[in-house]
Amino acid sequence: MSTEADPMLPSAPFARTPLPAMAPDAWQAPPWRGAPGPPPDGTEPGAPRRRPGRGAAAAACAVLGLGLIGGAVAGTWLTAPGERGAAETAYARGADLWRTVPVDTLFPRTVHNATAGPGGAARHWTRIGVAADADCKGAFDPLLARALAPAGCKRLLRAAYTDATSTRVTTVGLLVTDTDATGMRALRKRFTGERLGERPDLMPRPYAPKGTAAERFGDAQRASWHISVLTDAPAVVYAVTGFADARTGTPPQPAERAVRPGATSAPAQAGLGHDANALADRLEQGVRQAVTRPQETTR
């Protein structure tokens, strides 16, 4: 993230929802945990009781456990170093993809998907603008900026797309973070565990290039969105969609809900959730291809 102070970013950390404390009397001992009675086998209270076969079972478990541990260690020796090396190389390459990967690789001029629309209908999108790569200052609503802040911001890439009818517009974005794989796993865990990607107050902001169908696509026009935190690359992929006619008042709905069978919301019926999911998935595929296969430097 840029070191320059951003007036849009609150200084306090993103608040976590606390779990309610358990009342002192919320757990009662079950009736069989009262005063001990005489042992059923006649031994004196407190004396150890022998159970037939217990020693043999314990020995068998120990042998089995040692075998499993040994197998796991052997498997680690045989496979982990190469896999770890490839993963580390791919992750490191991801940190530089914003300046080493051709823009058409990440944001193709056209995207076609034969089954991405509602009911498995075909969808076709055309790229209508690409923003200059930039930092993240002012790029996200304050709460989303606060949630993403632990991962940092190395660079932000964005493009705008419209559907074949030019009635729906979508911003697709790639945040290249400034953290390691552990940091990305922590960020993904939080987004998943707290369902941050479903909160309307954490929607990404649109990119509205002038002179295009998306020029009136502002914050008030956002209707559906998708956020994906990657762990095999330092990247957050997102997409946010709306109508090209600048209409407001559409209750926003996360793409995961808008694409469910039977969904009747405006974003669902218009296919905005399908647009967000499909274009975000296409960008995610481009990122993974870029980090696993070297690309020639072209911008």
Side-chain angles (χ1 to χ4, degrees):
M1 199 75 70
S2 174
T3 56
E4 181 181 353
D6 185 354
M8 294 297 294
L9 298 182
S11 57
F14 188 82
R16 293 179 182 271
T17 303
L19 293 175
M22 187 169 63
D25 59 348
W27 183 86
Q28 298 292 337
W32 61 84
R33 298 202 47 185
D41 59 0
T43 59
E44 291 297 325
R49 284 173 286 167
R50 297 181 180 178
R51 296 181 181 178
R54 184 173 183 180
C61 289
V63 172
L64 178 60
L66 289 174
L68 291 174
I69 293 172
V73 172
T76 301
W77 288 340
L78 291 173
T79 61
E83 293 177 358
R84 189 185 308 119
E88 291 174 352
T89 298
Y91 192 92
R93 188 177 294 135
D96 292 326
L97 62 81
W98 62 274
R99 58 185 178 83
T100 61
V101 178
V103 64
D104 289 346
T105 298
L106 296 176
F107 303 113
R109 296 178 185 273
T110 60
V111 177
H112 181 79
N113 191 309
T115 60
R123 278 287 187 263
H124 187 84
W125 301 272
T126 301
R127 192 185 74 197
I128 55 177
V130 178
D133 56 86
D135 58 26
C136 294
K137 183 178 180 180
F140 301 108
D141 281 351
L143 285 182
L144 181 55
R146 196 185 294 178
L148 294 171
C153 172
K154 178 168 287 188
R155 219 62 183 164
L156 179 66
L157 311 178
R158 293 170 294 174
Y161 285 84
T162 186
D163 71 308
T165 64
S166 296
T167 59
R168 304 187 310 274
V169 289
T170 305
T171 292
V172 187
L174 171 63
L175 165 62
V176 181
T177 66
D178 195 20
T179 189
D180 58 14
T182 300
M184 292 306 297
R185 287 192 292 269
L187 184 65
R188 182 186 179 100
K189 181 179 180 180
R190 185 174 187 196
F191 263 76
T192 301
E194 298 182 30
R195 303 175 73 173
L196 300 186
E198 299 180 23
R199 289 178 47 165
D201 55 350
L202 295 176
M203 280 192 294
R205 281 180 173 165
Y207 159 60
K210 299 296 183 182
T212 71
E215 67 177 342
R216 295 188 291 172
F217 184 25
D219 291 352
Q221 285 73 36
R222 294 175 290 183
S224 192
W225 73 99
H226 173 94
I227 302 175
S228 180
V229 179
L230 279 59
T231 57
D232 50 353
V236 176
V237 170
Y238 67 87
V240 57
T241 65
F243 295 103
D245 61 4
R247 74 182 70 176
T248 60
T250 302
Q253 185 178 43
E256 284 69 19
R257 297 182 188 178
V259 301
R260 291 175 182 171
T264 58
S265 66
Q269 292 184 337
L272 294 175
H274 292 79
D275 290 349
N277 271 354
L279 288 171
D281 286 347
R282 177 60 185 84
L283 176 55
E284 192 170 328
Q285 292 172 15
V287 170
R288 289 203 163 95
Q289 290 173 2
V291 300
T292 56
R293 185 176 65 241
Q295 303 281 343
E296 62 183 62
T297 302
T298 305
R299 293 297 294 174

